Amino acid sequence: MYRYNDFDAAFLAERNAQFRAQVARRIDGSLTEDEFKPLRLMNGLYLQLHAYMLRVAIPYGTLGSAQMRQLAMIADRWDKGYGHFTTRQNIQYNWPKLPDVPDILDALAEVQLHAIQTSGNTIRNVTADHFAGAARDEIEDPRPVAELIRQWSTDHPEFQFLPRKFKIAVTGSPRDRAVTRAHDIGLRMVRNAAGEPGFEVLVGGGLGRTPMIAKVIRDFLPKADLLPYLEAIVSVYNLLGRRDNKYKARIKITVHENGIDTVREKVEARFAQLRPLFSGVDQQMLDGIEAQFAPPAFRNAPVDLFEAAYQTDPVFRAWADVNLTPHKAEGYAIVSISLKKHGATPGDATSAQMRVMADLAERFGHDELRVSHEQNIVLPHVHKSDLPALYRALRDADLATANIGLASDIIACPGMDYCALATARSIPVAQEIARRFEDMKLEHDIGPLKIKISGCINACGHHHVGHIGILGLDRAGVENYQITLGGDGTEDAAIGSRTGPGFAYDEITDAIERILMAYLDLRSDPGETFLQAYRRVGADPFKAALYEAPAEETREPAHA
Amino acid sequence: MARRPFTPKVITANALLEGDVVYFTAADVWTRHLAEAEILTDEAHADLRLLDAARQADQVVGPYLADMAEGADGPQPTHFREEFRRTGPSNYFHGKQAEH
Ligand code: HEM
Ligand code: SF4
């Protein structure tokens, strides 16, 4: 894992001291809110519906046990004993008090974490595949490159006042677990004809009000050219991006209005100017960073304990079948810990759970944890012989829900329960849908399914790329929920299409159930996933189930 | 264009230090309880009171006029957003609902 050097530590200490003085001046009245707001946002501090909200970056989602324990300590000492893990690999605290925030930032700095550039029109936390460094299908660990991008982008003087916020995601695997196609810049590691690793560079993806899938700006970018090329893209956007209209300011609009060919020409021209200015120091830095991301010393041991538990304990087996992913090292597995117990708030972990996960990472997982963009926690490197013990410990902490990738593994933004921008609630909708499928015992039969919910058009819950997306709206002072179908956040990314009129708060769970009952009826065989079925038959049968079925009959099949 | 008739309002904001929801009273102080808020039924008066409230910018952030209905127990929210602001989140018993 990347360790801060003296420069990094001094930089954070100085930033925190500066912010401490700014908070003091706001409280004593020498700064107005108008003056203070941009300063607090530069340090990740929002003011939400019921309280302040502090957003802490977890770079490329990677955490050590000590960092996780510190997050738990902060939750206990300055918040209400829990934290909310988000789709951009951040943790959000929902209840900090303004006078405490400087102390919280200092506590974060003790473990090399911060909240810088987690808000504002700047390059945000760089996200990456949550299985990075562990996935069997990986070309290379994308995190050293993500760390290089972080160092380049943090406090970059030219990019503090971009037209709008700017998000970069990186994946080292052909299977895209970082939603690269819905980011301002997506980097997908590929190999060229000579077998050398480099990047396919995507630009202009984004969700929100005008969702768009990113376009390829470069088929193959050698690794050594990465920073100058990124700098070229961001500087072209900085000039070309619209500042007249906030809603048209994202790079996706720049690409849409100018065309990808024009943008590419300008970027390549700028790249030609910038390339010679990068003397190679960045590559020396990358070498140093790569050394810090060396894989842990994997051990060679028998997996009998795992096999025995798998054969004899059906509950363990059900968990193992759903929550484990193949690891690149023999005898190892990637463990996903669900933060989506049925009826719980998606993405929330209590401080006690954070400590359990930190302990387990230390005991069984080479001291590493990840935050996934799906609001779960991952232990990337666990030897299979440790899985039965790990499972028991997770179960005792209420963390062993076997639902990764299933109907109840729902992404939900904070919505109207916390967010000042929301038009409707998201969390209780996710809770009710999860409980419904738990009651019906159908989610294993339904199989892989991504339901994603946002409480407003900003799409923080990624609803556009959900197989089933739900968007909460305000219809004349009443919560109303619009459904989209067929979205996909992977390498085959697609934006879902709207089914038709929305549903009331107390109708939405039934509506989702009708869609899934229709899927169970029409799938060609149990192996055909919801998304495959949707792609085969189109939206009509689902619309029919949603809008034409008589209300009383629709629930029948579920309980028959 | 016909103007919509003025409907009753209260002044609300977030407290500077804690960030929680507060309401402006007739006595020019901020309260945590909606029932104690001053109800404003005259548009010109409401605008003046908002100016009074905004002068206390060292205590609160973002004061605005929120729609209310006049109930027996004082102002009642007419929109679900104000209902949630007066209550707290629905997933935990946190915020205002836990303070009583
Ligand atoms: C509660 C405080 C939050 C606020 C005020 C907020 C604000 C916003 C806004 C204004 C946008 C639209 C930006 C644009 O289109 O230019 C946005 C998009 C987004 N936010 Fe949030 N957000 C919040 C929480 C979250 C959380 C909790 C998550 C993760 C669960 C998240 C992840 C995202 C994502 C993925 C997008 C879409 C990115 C894109 O436009 O391509 N946000 N957010
Ligand atoms: S989608 Fe809307 S409601 Fe949900 S967190 Fe984002 S801004 Fe808030």
Side-chain angles (χ1 to χ4, degrees):
Chain A
M1 215 166 14
Y2 180 72
R3 299 265 165 240
Y4 276 18
N5 57 31
D6 293 346
F7 174 83
D8 299 329
F11 169 77
L12 261 198
E14 193 188 320
R15 267 294 285 262
N16 287 354
Q18 201 179 52
F19 187 57
R20 184 178 291 278
Q22 290 160 350
V23 169
R25 281 157 58 211
R26 174 68 180 101
I27 292 174
D28 75 18
S30 35
L31 282 181
T32 65
E33 185 61 21
D34 284 349
E35 290 162 338
F36 179 63
K37 186 175 173 184
L39 303 174
R40 70 165 152 78
L41 288 176
M42 282 173 74
N43 292 283
L45 186 64
Y46 289 73
L47 183 52
Q48 292 294 354
L49 218 51
H50 317 288
Y52 287 94
M53 184 274 277
L54 181 68
R55 181 182 289 158
V56 177
I58 299 174
Y60 31 89
T62 296
L63 276 175
S65 299
Q67 292 174 316
M68 185 64 115
R69 282 197 195 97
Q70 190 80 336
L71 295 178
M73 187 280 283
I74 289 169
D76 280 337
R77 180 149 172 208
W78 291 294
D79 206 278
K80 293 187 190 287
Y82 74 100
H84 180 72
F85 291 97
T86 82
T87 49
R88 296 218 74 257
Q89 299 180 316
N90 297 305
I91 182 171
Q92 294 183 175
Y93 291 105
N94 281 325
W95 305 94
K97 295 184 174 30
L98 179 60
D100 293 335
V101 174
D103 292 341
I104 301 176
L105 294 179
D106 283 349
L108 289 168
E110 282 173 20
V111 293
Q112 315 193 338
L113 288 172
H114 63 72
I116 295 169
Q117 290 181 208
T118 59
S119 176
N121 295 335
T122 178
I123 299 175
R124 300 286 186 91
N125 186 35
V126 179
T127 56
D129 180 357
H130 41 259
F131 295 161
R136 193 169 279 179
D137 59 6
E138 183 170 274
I139 297 171
E140 257 183 41
D141 186 342
R143 291 173 304 155
V145 153
E147 174 58 31
L148 184 70
I149 298 171
R150 173 169 89 131
Q151 295 189 12
W152 159 79
S153 62
T154 303
D155 222 28
H156 191 304
E158 195 183 327
F159 303 144
Q160 295 308 305
F161 297 99
L162 294 169
R164 200 72 179 84
K165 60 171 154 178
F166 202 88
K167 302 176 178 179
I168 303 177
V170 200
T171 173
S173 292
R175 301 251 342 251
D176 184 359
R177 289 173 289 261
V179 210
T180 57
R181 287 188 146 77
H183 279 76
D184 296 295
I185 296 179
L187 298 169
R188 291 184 56 231
M189 195 172 272
V190 289
R191 287 188 192 280
N192 66 5
E196 296 147 350
F199 291 100
E200 179 189 66
V201 184
L202 302 147
V203 296
L207 302 175
R209 168 178 311 258
T210 318
M212 288 191 191
I213 299 297
K215 299 191 170 60
V216 177
I217 188 164
R218 204 27 135 94
D219 292 325
F220 185 82
L221 182 74
K223 263 169 84 178
D225 289 342
L226 185 65
L227 283 195
Y229 200 78
L230 292 182
E231 181 126 350
I233 296 176
V234 185
S235 76
V236 165
Y237 164 61
N238 207 8
L239 281 174
L240 214 56
R242 288 182 58 167
R243 291 170 193 268
D244 57 322
N245 179 341
K246 173 176 170 187
Y247 302 117
K248 297 198 168 171
R250 299 288 294 267
I251 196 173
K252 61 189 173 187
I253 307 292
T254 315
V255 170
H256 183 73
E257 288 185 346
N258 294 274
I260 183 69
D261 294 332
T262 305
V263 172
R264 184 183 297 115
E265 261 169 45
K266 289 186 190 296
V267 167
E268 292 290 343
R270 183 80 182 123
F271 173 63
Q273 293 170 339
L274 287 169
R275 185 67 190 90
L277 306 179
F278 281 73
S279 58
V281 177
D282 56 319
Q283 291 307 298
Q284 287 166 20
M285 282 169 66
L286 183 60
D287 289 344
I289 294 167
E290 274 173 352
Q292 300 198 41
F293 282 91
F298 295 121
R299 67 179 202 267
N300 206 339
V303 296
D304 310 358
L305 275 175
F306 169 75
E307 293 299 343
Y310 191 81
Q311 296 308 327
T312 56
D313 180 349
V315 185
F316 173 74
R317 182 189 192 130
W319 174 80
D321 283 344
V322 176
N323 291 32
L324 301 182
T325 307
H327 196 283
K328 63 165 72 159
E330 199 54 46
Y332 274 75
I334 302 171
V335 177
S336 292
I337 302 175
S338 170
L339 296 183
K340 316 284 180 63
K341 185 180 151 75
H342 301 95
T345 302
D348 277 11
T350 65
S351 53
Q353 289 176 325
M354 289 185 223
R355 285 195 194 92
V356 168
M357 293 188 284
D359 291 350
L360 292 174
E362 209 166 51
R363 263 172 75 201
F364 301 124
H366 297 275
D367 205 24
E368 254 196 62
L369 304 113
R370 305 287 171 75
V371 181
S372 82
H373 80 266
E374 304 192 299
Q375 300 182 293
N376 293 314
I377 300 292
V378 174
L379 301 181
H381 316 294
V382 182
H383 195 273
K384 285 184 170 176
S385 61
D386 291 327
L387 287 171
L390 175 82
Y391 172 75
R392 284 192 297 275
L394 288 174
R395 201 184 46 196
D396 293 345
D398 237 359
L399 287 168
T401 310
N403 66 345
I404 297 293
L406 303 182
S408 59
D409 185 7
I410 299 171
I411 294 180
C413 81
M416 183 74 91
D417 286 307
Y418 297 90
C419 181
L421 302 176
T423 46
R425 286 174 298 171
S426 306
I427 292 169
V429 174
Q431 289 174 305
E432 196 184 321
I433 293 172
R435 279 199 209 96
R436 174 74 57 88
F437 286 100
E438 165 81 343
D439 291 348
M440 292 167 59
K441 299 282 173 241
L442 266 183
E443 63 176 329
H444 286 265
D445 191 11
I446 291 167
L449 178 69
K450 298 202 185 294
I451 304 179
K452 303 177 194 244
I453 309 176
S454 304
C456 81
I457 198 166
N458 287 321
C460 301
H462 285 189
H463 66 275
H464 294 113
V465 291
H467 303 167
I468 300 178
I470 303 174
L471 166 61
L473 295 169
D474 176 343
R475 285 275 172 269
V478 176
E479 288 167 298
N480 187 273
Y481 296 86
Q482 235 170 44
I483 295 177
T484 53
L485 295 177
D488 182 357
T490 70
E491 59 282 0
D492 306 317
I495 302 291
S497 350
R498 252 184 74 184
T499 54
F503 294 86
Y505 179 78
D506 57 4
E507 293 169 352
I508 183 70
T509 305
D510 288 343
I512 301 302
E513 183 181 323
R514 289 204 294 281
I515 293 172
L516 291 174
M517 297 319 289
Y519 153 69
L520 290 178
D521 280 348
L522 62 76
R523 69 180 173 189
S524 56
D525 66 88
E528 190 184 45
T529 65
F530 174 81
L531 191 60
Q532 288 163 344
Y534 176 84
R535 284 180 174 165
R536 177 170 58 83
V537 303
D540 289 345
F542 298 103
K543 286 188 191 170
L546 268 178
Y547 298 106
E548 285 158 30
E552 313 85 74
E553 277 176 36
T554 48
R555 290 287 299 279
E556 285 297 325
H559 303 286
Chain B
M1 217 173 75
R3 271 165 61 97
R4 289 202 292 146
F6 186 78
T7 50
K9 304 215 180 346
V10 302
I11 295 168
T12 180
N14 288 81
L16 173 65
L17 297 184
E18 293 86 6
D20 58 343
V21 175
V22 291
Y23 304 96
F24 204 48
T25 68
D28 276 11
V29 292
W30 296 91
T31 173
R32 260 68 180 166
H33 307 291
L34 179 56
E36 294 164 12
E38 178 184 18
I39 187 127
L40 304 161
T41 50
D42 175 81
E43 183 161 15
H45 182 60
D47 289 344
L48 283 176
R49 291 298 286 153
L50 187 57
L51 289 175
D52 293 339
R55 269 193 289 276
Q56 300 200 6
D58 54 339
Q59 291 180 49
V60 296
V61 182
Y64 65 93
L65 293 165
D67 274 315
M68 294 287 155
E70 287 181 271
D73 302 324
Q76 297 299 319
T78 55
H79 188 280
F80 62 93
R81 187 173 191 274
E82 290 305 326
E83 181 59 42
F84 295 142
R85 285 182 81 245
R86 106 156 144 182
T87 318
S90 33
N91 60 333
Y92 302 121
F93 192 66
H94 285 164
K96 285 226 167 325
Q97 56 200 340
E99 283 161 16
H100 299 294

